[in-house]
Amino acid sequence: MTFNSHNDVVLSVQDLSISYLTPRGRLRAVSHASFDLHQGETLALIGESGCGKSTLNLGLMRLLPTNARVDGGRIEYTRRDGAPIDVLRLNDRQLRQFRWSECSMVFQAALNSLNPVIRVRDMFYDTAAAHGKRFRRQVRDRALDLFRRVRLDPERVFNAYPHELSGGMRQRVLLALALLLNPQVVILDEPTTAVDILTQRTIIEVLKAIREELNFSTIFISHDLSVAAEMADTVATMYAGEIVEIGPVYELFYRPRHAYTLGLLEAVPRLSAGEEELVSIPGSPPDLIEPPAGCKFHVRCPFATDRCRVEPPPLEPVGENHLAACWEKARVLTHALENAYHDAPR
Ligand SMILES: Nc1ncnc2c1ncn2[C@@H]1O[C@H](COP(=O)(O)OP(=O)(O)OP(=O)(O)O)[C@@H](O)[C@H]1O
Ligand SMILES: [Mg+2]
């Protein structure tokens, strides 16, 4: 029983903008991103390379490189005891507490970044020790329990060096490490990208099982739509630093309202014609130092009108918990329904 009013939002991001200072000028990597992450929810972030997915999540963890600036916005996290945390205002000591214990991240390409001379067990002991947990027995028990849950041979893996493990095993070690201090939010940046298809399957199955058991919320970054479709409750499409559409997974995949989401769906290889045809979205993402006026997607958009070229579309409700920033949302939906993506990911 709790005395708080019922509100299960663990992470609320409001109007967050992040830029990088580069020799050519200010690069706007994330522009006015807003979303709420609920308890136990999996949010998938999809979008082409360079659209700002990693920057957004590094921002959430306050792990941005030194040439990055948070230009505005709020990140509000709610602890298990209900206490609100203003993430952008945490000092260094509070940040150390926040990372891993409240919110942890498995980094993109982390697979190859494991220090080869440090045994798995020492990574776990060191991480725990950095958070004041020095009872090695407890750390070991927790690690072995997590290894079992992610389907690793606990004793063997605990004592192994990274090079003795396959890519998929290392990925699961990193997942277990991210869960060591029982965070409420786990950010996974492309967890299935660098591994083969069978390993990818194992990782997905493990993730699905473990998030039920341990009840954490996930932000899942992927450019593989079928993986996102399988994992997510909610999907957010990012384009050129903006969240251009967000909504329940089935809504986004079956009733898309943004031309770019539709483009991504059409770019999924389709097997129905008997052969695999890959349609990619023509053109390339815009320069984020001098982005185009109006809707940033208009240059590549088959639905674009004069209005799209000058006036940026606002992110507006189009259904229950579904928002899209597209002037031609009605035409996009009609097109999607007429071309029913029966073999789209589900
Ligand atoms: N340290 C940096 N300094 C300057 N620009 C950067 C830096 N890191 C990223 N960028 C730029 O910021 C933009 C967003 O990059 P980001 O890595 O967040 O994209 P992403 O969606 O994660 O891409 P990917 O799918 O390739 O991982 C890109 O234009 C990228 O070139
Ligand atoms: Mg990235």
Side-chain angles (χ1 to χ4, degrees):
M1 182 80 117
T2 161
F3 294 101
N4 296 317
S5 61
H6 183 73
N7 177 6
D8 67 347
V9 174
V10 274
L11 190 67
S12 176
V13 176
Q14 297 147 26
D15 210 26
L16 185 66
S17 296
I18 301 170
S19 55
Y20 291 106
L21 307 178
T22 78
R24 267 207 312 128
R26 186 177 283 258
L27 185 153
R28 299 185 191 279
V30 174
S31 301
H32 305 288
S34 297
F35 63 88
D36 284 342
L37 182 70
H38 300 81
Q39 242 155 43
E41 179 180 17
T42 297
L43 168 74
L45 271 184
I46 59 172
E48 283 162 302
S49 185
C51 69
K53 304 180 297 293
S54 295
T55 303
L56 171 57
N57 287 286
L58 290 170
L60 299 181
M61 294 283 291
R62 296 267 312 270
L63 285 169
L64 290 165
T66 50
N67 65 329
R69 296 284 175 276
V70 174
D71 299 318
R74 261 180 79 79
I75 304 169
E76 206 175 286
Y77 173 85
T78 306
R79 272 188 350 208
R80 283 196 177 82
D81 63 7
I85 299 205
D86 185 343
V87 176
L88 291 177
R89 288 178 175 233
L90 295 178
N91 62 31
D92 287 352
R93 187 187 55 80
Q94 294 166 322
L95 263 179
R96 274 196 299 278
Q97 192 54 41
F98 175 72
R99 293 184 197 134
W100 297 92
S101 318
E102 303 288 352
C103 186
S104 68
M105 181 162 180
V106 177
F107 297 92
Q108 185 168 15
L111 273 189
N112 305 316
S113 65
L114 293 181
N115 189 332
V117 298
I118 299 184
R119 281 184 202 260
V120 168
R121 64 175 186 224
D122 292 318
M123 298 188 330
F124 281 73
Y125 289 140
D126 292 351
T127 304
H131 286 81
K133 299 196 173 16
R134 297 180 191 284
F135 297 107
R136 288 166 77 97
R137 185 62 207 234
Q138 275 175 18
V139 177
R140 184 174 179 278
D141 288 350
R142 169 85 179 159
L144 295 188
D145 175 56
L146 287 167
F147 286 164
R148 245 170 253 121
R149 291 176 192 270
V150 299
R151 301 187 204 158
L152 288 170
D153 176 354
E155 297 285 349
R156 175 167 113 66
V157 171
F158 194 62
N159 292 307
Y161 285 98
H163 71 85
E164 297 171 311
L165 308 172
S166 70
M169 292 165 87
R170 270 183 264 165
Q171 191 64 287
R172 282 176 281 156
V173 165
L174 289 169
L175 177 61
L177 186 61
L179 292 166
L180 180 66
L181 300 176
N182 199 22
Q184 283 196 99
V185 176
V186 179
I187 299 171
L188 301 162
D189 196 344
E190 304 269 13
T192 62
T193 301
V195 295
D196 63 76
I197 200 95
L198 273 176
T199 308
Q200 181 172 322
R201 228 15 299 140
T202 313
I203 293 170
I204 292 169
E205 295 305 328
V206 158
L207 267 171
K208 282 162 77 174
I210 200 169
R211 75 179 174 192
E212 301 278 303
E213 295 163 9
L214 303 178
N215 191 37
F216 51 90
S217 309
T218 310
I219 300 179
F220 188 92
I221 304 179
S222 182
H223 58 242
D224 185 328
L225 261 65
S226 57
V227 175
E230 187 174 349
M231 295 299 299
D233 303 301
T234 305
V235 179
T237 309
M238 280 188 84
Y239 187 76
E242 295 173 352
I243 293 180
V244 294
E245 183 165 12
I246 182 166
V249 60
Y250 53 88
E251 274 274 314
L252 234 92
F253 284 122
Y254 291 99
R255 300 174 63 81
R257 310 296 177 93
H258 195 287
Y260 180 63
T261 307
L262 180 69
L264 287 177
L265 288 172
E266 290 188 320
V268 170
R270 309 178 81 192
L271 298 159
S272 57
E275 65 193 80
E276 190 169 315
E277 56 172 305
L278 181 66
V279 193
S280 71
I281 304 173
S284 46
D287 183 353
L288 296 178
I289 294 175
E290 287 181 76
C295 170
K296 288 179 183 163
F297 186 56
H298 83 253
V299 198
R300 304 168 72 188
C301 181
F303 299 93
T305 64
D306 287 344
R307 185 186 204 183
C308 306
R309 288 180 256 278
V310 289
E311 209 180 326
L315 190 65
E316 294 177 327
V318 291
E320 203 175 341
N321 301 319
H322 187 176
L323 303 153
C326 180
W327 292 124
E328 294 300 317
K329 34 177 122 43
R331 274 167 71 210
V332 169
L333 177 62
T334 306
H335 182 96
L337 294 175
E338 279 170 0
N339 292 278
Y341 296 100
H342 291 306
D343 50 358
R346 53 186 83 217

